[in-house]
Amino acid sequence: MKRFSLIVIAVWCSWMVHAQTDATAQSSPASVTTNSPDATRPPRAPTRIDSDNSADFDLNGHQAIYRGHVRVDDPQMKLTCAQLTTDLPQAGGRPNHIVAETNVVIDFTDDKGQTNHATSDKAVYLYNVQNGVTNETVTLTGNPQPQVENAQGTQAGDVIVWSRENTNSHVRFIGNYHMVSYQKPGEVMMGTNSPVTVVKTNVPPGTVENTSTNMQ
Amino acid sequence: MNAKANITRASLAAGAVLLFAVAPGIRAQQNGVQHANDFTSTEYYGPTNQQQIKSIVSGAEALPQPGGLLIIKQLRLRTFYPDGKPEIIVTAPECLYDTMSGTASSAGPLHLQTGDGKFRVEGEGFLWRQTNSFLIISNNVRTVIENGAITNTKP
């Protein structure tokens, strides 16, 4: 039971923390994001994880599966999907593999208070430490094409990979990248009556990469 | 007295089943089990820590059923760390423990929380298969993680 509780706590907390960080990197890929020390933050409101249907906890197989309109409600992030699978690490450990599947929607607020909206068919979180180097990735894939949208615009690619190696992080848009920028009147397009101007950027299939450093 | 001891033992086993991992190998030994009210059973840690309580199982009622089944009402199970701090509290208004298959189930609610109350999960309808340590909560699974329960998962 101790193992069970620690596992579930670790799983979800890890997902919360890292999903927030991932999304920040995606929304502002060229910026440096520094999280303030936890001691300076006000107490967090509870995180809630609900599913309409079943939740399976396989303690021998070290895996948990939530099914049916899975909702993760965190003060800084909301995630919904049809199914969420996570490994169950040993007590004191942390999950190495979390998969959210089908109609994955992640809404989060970054450090600047800007809301972001990410969608994909599948989101996979991986974590490992090799030779003292921490590697984390969150990969958005599937159909419809994964995308991240905020007030500045929308970025999309066949595959969106956020990764972090120790303090360095970067986001890659792989395959059929396109960006739609929203620009306020007067910023670029003078004389337009449109409330916003849409600037579309299409890039041939390949990889678009942005790197941020000194991530915490 | 002997019957009471038997039902206490059986109740402990069923409670342990609900606790999922307390004693995976426990099987109810309930031949000759009789009805019992307001039972409580205490389990202690092993030889190295004999004075320390490991778990306390209590229930308002235990009803033996044909076919090796046992209905436990108002189940309340508490476990403790070796240092005495509360670990987990599990409650269920009712569950059915099948001593033959080693399963515990109920269409009713299950509530589980850590000793400090910062992590809570509940749902409606559950099945625990003791043989492979598999728990299914059937519907409306609700998990709440309070502030402070979140560990620092950053490297």
Side-chain angles (χ1 to χ4, degrees):
Chain A
M1 181 51 66
K2 175 183 177 183
R3 181 178 59 181
F4 169 79
S5 60
L6 291 175
I7 282 168
V8 175
I9 291 171
V11 163
W12 287 107
C13 295
S14 176
W15 180 265
M16 299 301 113
V17 170
H18 297 296
Q20 292 169 27
T21 307
D22 303 340
T24 300
Q26 291 168 359
S27 63
S28 304
S31 65
V32 175
T33 302
T34 302
N35 295 324
S36 58
D38 291 342
T40 64
R41 293 179 176 176
R44 289 170 55 90
T47 298
R48 299 177 183 276
I49 305 108
D50 301 335
S51 66
D52 287 350
N53 296 336
S54 65
D56 301 347
F57 301 93
D58 182 354
L59 300 187
N60 286 342
H62 303 290
Q63 186 180 74
I65 303 174
Y66 286 82
R67 295 185 181 88
H69 192 205
V70 182
R71 287 98 62 198
V72 179
D73 190 350
D74 182 79
Q76 294 182 304
M77 186 204 73
K78 296 182 189 301
L79 179 148
T80 62
C81 63
Q83 177 171 305
L84 191 141
T85 304
T86 179
D87 64 346
L88 301 177
Q90 301 296 326
R94 55 183 297 169
N96 298 320
H97 190 201
I98 303 173
V99 180
E101 295 176 274
T102 309
N103 296 326
V104 179
V105 178
I106 304 172
D107 289 292
F108 61 96
T109 303
D110 60 26
D111 291 343
K112 298 177 180 178
Q114 177 175 255
T115 58
N116 296 268
H117 182 77
T119 59
S120 66
D121 182 59
K122 186 176 184 179
V124 178
Y125 166 77
L126 294 173
Y127 170 87
N128 65 72
V129 178
Q130 293 182 336
N131 300 322
V133 177
T134 300
N135 295 288
E136 294 176 280
T137 61
V138 175
T139 304
L140 306 181
T141 59
N143 185 17
Q145 191 181 43
Q147 64 179 30
V148 180
E149 181 180 10
N150 57 31
Q152 279 70 53
T154 301
Q155 295 182 89
D158 288 345
V159 179
I160 301 176
V161 181
W162 176 90
S163 61
R164 178 170 65 167
E165 182 177 313
N166 283 344
T167 59
N168 299 319
S169 70
H170 62 275
V171 60
R172 287 180 294 160
F173 294 84
I174 303 171
N176 295 313
Y177 171 81
H178 69 268
M179 177 178 65
V180 177
S181 298
Y182 306 136
Q183 296 173 325
K184 296 179 180 178
E187 287 186 345
V188 175
M189 302 292 290
M190 298 297 292
T192 179
N193 292 323
S194 175
V196 296
T197 300
V198 177
V199 178
K200 293 185 178 180
T201 303
N202 293 309
V203 178
T207 300
V208 176
E209 187 166 342
N210 295 288
T211 302
S212 298
T213 58
N214 299 322
M215 296 290 290
Q216 290 187 349
Chain B
M1 185 66 181
N2 188 33
K4 183 177 181 179
N6 282 339
I7 189 64
T8 299
R9 195 179 306 123
S11 301
L12 174 60
V17 165
L18 283 177
L19 232 211
F20 320 135
V22 170
I26 287 180
R27 287 281 185 168
Q29 306 294 320
Q30 62 170 30
N31 292 333
V33 167
Q34 298 179 15
H35 179 274
N37 290 319
D38 297 325
F39 63 89
T40 298
S41 178
T42 302
E43 180 187 15
Y44 291 86
Y45 276 95
T48 59
N49 203 355
Q50 293 182 346
Q51 302 302 315
Q52 186 56 52
I53 294 174
K54 185 175 183 179
S55 66
I56 300 175
V57 180
S58 61
E61 196 172 12
L63 302 168
Q65 303 293 305
L69 303 178
L70 183 68
I71 294 174
I72 300 177
K73 295 187 175 181
Q74 300 301 325
L75 175 72
R76 178 179 172 86
L77 190 149
R78 290 172 289 165
T79 66
F80 302 87
Y81 292 109
D83 63 3
K85 293 180 179 177
E87 182 185 20
I88 293 293
I89 302 171
V90 177
T91 58
E94 182 175 309
C95 77
L96 181 66
Y97 180 55
D98 186 336
T99 61
M100 306 301 290
S101 63
T103 62
S105 62
S106 172
L110 169 75
H111 182 275
L112 178 154
Q113 69 176 54
T114 54
D116 60 9
K118 292 182 175 179
F119 173 80
R120 306 185 294 274
V121 61
E122 62 185 17
E124 296 177 6
F126 65 90
L127 169 66
W128 164 250
R129 291 199 293 263
Q130 187 175 355
T131 53
N132 58 354
S133 300
F134 200 94
L135 170 70
I136 301 171
I137 300 178
S138 302
N139 296 292
N140 299 322
V141 182
R142 304 283 182 263
T143 305
V144 177
I145 304 169
E146 295 284 358
N147 175 48
I150 296 177
T151 56
N152 183 8
T153 59
K154 295 181 180 180

